[in-house]
Amino acid sequence: MNQSGLHVAIIMDGNGRWAQSRNWPRAAGHRAGMEALRRTVEAAPKLGITTLTVYAFSSDNWKRPAGEVRALMALFRNYIRRETAKCIRNGVRVSLIGRRDRLPLPLPAMVDEMETETRQGRMLHLRLAVDYSGRDAILAAVREGNVGNREEMSARLGPDVDLVIRTSGEQRVSDFLIWESAYAEFHFCSPHWPDFGAADLALALEDFRRRNRRFGATTAA
Ligand code: FPP
């Protein structure tokens, strides 16, 4: 746990299956996933979460059909247009983690602008992982230099994660925050991401608070 509160990371899985089960296009699942993200961002500060990192697009997701990639990029633009003002009002600081140089224009500039406009937010730090790979993030930090120990690497990559949540029944890490989650707890739940809401987030935190975190040491007597 960082000083101010919990860092929760979410692998928002199951948009495609949610849509397919309704005979809808996968893009409709991603649209509904965006609504679930909105609900989650609203619920997070009330549950003691101060940093929320969500996996929106992995560097391996470029392998998906071009139409689906386009739909996701359109959603990210949409999210920035529609949510920036609300984030400022609600004290949500937004950052992007991941590569920006492969994102279609004008997305990189829109991301920069959202980061600047929301930078005073103190209620919640929302980190959107887009074109993100945990392995690549580590390699990039090493290439940039001055990462001779754990502290320097952590300072470069970002805060340690307390809890990773993955929806939709899958139990994999999928190259998400692999350094930062070294001592994270994991909560896997069955709802597809578009069905995830405040009650599911509260359940995940209840589960987390029952865990006995030892960080490699023995339990205190
Ligand atoms: C995984 O489900 C989900 C994604 C690859 C995309 C996540 C994106 C959103 C929730 C959209 C909103 C995000 C922002 C930042 C606006 P999947 O498609 O792999 O589902 P499947 O495993 O059922 O096929």
Side-chain angles (χ1 to χ4, degrees), residues 17 28 56 59 62 87 94 101 103 107-108 126 157-158 166 190 200:
R17 276 165 283 168
S59 295
W62 293 116
C87 286
V94 184
D101 58 306
L103 300 179
L107 206 42
L126 172 64
L157 293 178
R166 183 166 190 150
S190 52
D200 300 291

Side-chain angles (χ1 to χ4, degrees), residues 12-18 20 26 29-35 37 54-58 61 64 68 72 75-76 79-80 128 130 168 170 192-193:
M12 308 183 289
D13 200 6
N15 293 349
R17 276 165 283 168
W18 182 90
Q20 274 157 1
R26 294 177 57 83
H30 296 314
R31 258 198 312 281
M34 185 167 85
E35 299 304 328
L37 177 60
V54 295
Y55 212 178
F57 191 86
S58 88
N61 287 152
R64 293 193 174 199
E68 183 173 346
L72 278 165
L75 264 189
F76 301 150
Y79 185 80
I80 294 173
L128 305 172
V130 177
S168 208
E170 306 293 345
H192 295 313
W193 174 249

